[in-house]
Amino acid sequence: MGIRTIKIKRHILYAGYLLVITIIALEILLRFFYPFQRKIMGDKWQLATNSTYHLRNVQNRRLDRRVINRRNSIGFRGEDPPADINRRLSILTVGGSTTACTALTEGKTWTDRLGEQLRKRFTPVWINNAGLDGNSTYGHLNFLKNYLPAINFKPTVVIFLIGINEIDRDDLNEIDSPVKKGFLYNTWKWLHYNSETLNFFTDLKRSIYPTAIFTDNGGWNFTNFKKINLSGIYIDSALQKQGSLLPSFRKRLSELIEYCLKNGMQPVFVTQPLIFGDGTFGEGNPAIDFHAFNENENGVLLWKKLELFNNITRQVSREKNVCCVDLAGLMPRDTLYYYDSMHYTNEGAAKVGEIIFDKLNQYLSVKFPQYLKN
């Protein structure tokens, strides 16, 4: 072995030594000072608190040009919990992006609109929006178990708007399964759950390249879009692939119900609506159901997939005697109410709040008559 080779090996070992020392130092430093208010670290929740975000929209003409998002002292959208929170009709809305309504400014989300209606009928009322973009029922369970206990009170009612983030989610079955996937997978998962350094660089990347929430690009104007027709064979095959996901989804719904009731909270389920699914199979203007989705699929197929999960929500609600608002069946499929396939405009959020209130009003009046206004 030559002297040059020995020197190269020494340099490599020294670089490795410095890398390990740097990572250890970062792990220690970041546990005392973490510069980002991140959302999730594995199953551990850490929502941004007491924060205000100003979003500028120059892409989607169906939304406000300037949007303000505020996070209160417990990380949700809405007013801080008052001192007498335990004596109030307290309501938390939980879901993915169709609950978070990130593209809608303060006071215009469907949670806000629902709160306006509830305060006309009940008192005292406190309502907050705990929606998180992309969150599934697995995430909702993690939220209940790993974040909610830390806020020192339990809401009277938890409203879950669910379904859309379950579609084609094979990874949820993997998460629910105790089967190990191999050393490399489990090592990476352990690091993701425990390494401050890894999560720091992940958050740094997100801050430099933030996810775009305002998307139009000419595709969601509902008059000029790529049209896709699918064969019945293709649609049937795609729907069959959802079959293996439904039992786990049913199980998670039951777990959500059991956890809520065990902890003194009343669960309410809401089915997920879409702009698609109105049966427009001709050359309508526009033929919304044929709008391209996920490049090679269309709105017809997305709606059929979603209805498989909505049907499970309806069934479990009946079986468990849980209040269910069938928003999927009640929400008008009008382009006034949507700025893309599933997310609401200001008018849409107001309509969602109105529909949920109509059903919730009757339920709450019977379940909690002590909060009714005289």
Side-chain angles (χ1 to χ4, degrees), residues 107-370:
K108 293 185 178 182
T109 71
W110 67 259
T111 302
D112 294 318
R113 300 301 194 181
L114 174 60
E116 292 172 4
Q117 296 292 324
L118 288 171
R119 291 185 183 96
K120 295 176 183 178
R121 177 73 170 155
F122 303 91
T123 189
V125 173
W126 176 88
I127 186 168
N128 261 201
N129 180 349
L132 190 65
D133 292 356
N135 223 11
S136 67
T137 46
Y138 180 81
H140 304 339
L141 281 168
N142 281 338
F143 168 74
L144 291 181
K145 296 176 180 179
N146 298 320
Y147 189 83
L148 199 57
I151 64 176
N152 298 322
F153 76 92
K154 295 183 178 68
T156 314
V157 177
V158 184
I159 301 174
F160 299 94
L161 174 54
I162 47 181
I164 194 64
N165 290 326
E166 315 296 325
I167 297 174
D168 293 320
R169 291 293 301 276
D170 291 324
D171 58 314
L172 297 184
N173 277 353
E174 294 170 1
I175 292 172
D176 290 337
S177 172
V179 177
K180 303 298 181 183
K181 297 194 63 177
F183 175 76
L184 290 178
Y185 174 84
N186 290 312
T187 299
W188 176 256
K189 187 175 180 180
W190 184 89
L191 287 173
H192 180 64
Y193 276 47
N194 296 278
S195 172
E196 297 285 352
T197 303
L198 177 61
N199 282 279
F200 167 75
F201 284 109
T202 299
D203 289 334
L204 180 63
K205 178 184 177 182
R206 288 172 181 165
S207 69
I208 297 174
Y209 303 104
T211 301
I213 64 165
F214 297 109
T215 56
D216 191 8
N217 302 323
W220 287 111
N221 54 23
F222 298 118
T223 57
N224 179 26
F225 53 80
K226 181 182 177 182
K227 180 179 177 181
I228 293 183
N229 288 296
L230 301 173
S231 69
I233 295 175
Y234 184 95
I235 290 175
D236 289 342
S237 175
L239 294 178
Q240 287 175 6
K241 291 179 182 178
Q242 306 303 310
S244 62
L245 309 180
L246 299 178
S248 295
F249 176 62
R250 175 184 288 272
K251 179 183 176 183
R252 288 192 293 273
L253 293 188
S254 295
E255 289 178 2
L256 286 171
I257 294 170
E258 291 170 7
Y259 187 88
C260 284
L261 295 179
K262 182 180 178 181
N263 287 275
M265 302 177 290
Q266 293 298 317
V268 172
F269 288 158
V270 181
T271 58
Q272 174 68 56
L274 294 177
I275 186 66
F276 306 130
D278 66 352
T280 306
F281 296 109
E283 297 298 326
N285 183 24
I288 298 296
D289 280 358
F290 292 101
H291 198 309
F293 190 84
N294 284 345
E295 296 185 0
N296 62 345
E297 296 188 349
N298 64 18
V300 174
L301 180 53
L302 180 63
W303 172 248
K304 288 180 179 292
K305 286 180 180 180
L306 179 59
E307 272 293 88
L308 294 176
F309 294 93
N310 281 338
N311 282 332
I312 295 294
T313 301
R314 296 177 184 113
Q315 292 167 12
V316 172
S317 298
R318 288 194 299 268
E319 293 167 5
K320 301 289 186 178
N321 196 28
V322 167
C323 179
C324 179
V325 181
D326 190 13
L327 186 63
L330 297 171
M331 183 71 176
R333 293 175 176 86
D334 189 325
T335 55
L336 172 68
Y337 298 136
Y338 293 88
Y339 70 83
D340 64 13
S341 61
M342 67 194 72
H343 297 101
Y344 318 116
T345 59
N346 293 333
E347 295 83 0
K351 189 66 175 178
V352 170
E354 174 188 317
I355 292 171
I356 294 177
F357 171 75
D358 285 344
K359 180 63 180 285
L360 204 60
N361 177 31
Q362 180 181 1
Y363 169 74
L364 295 177
S365 297
V366 174
K367 196 76 176 179
F368 304 103
Q370 66 270 31

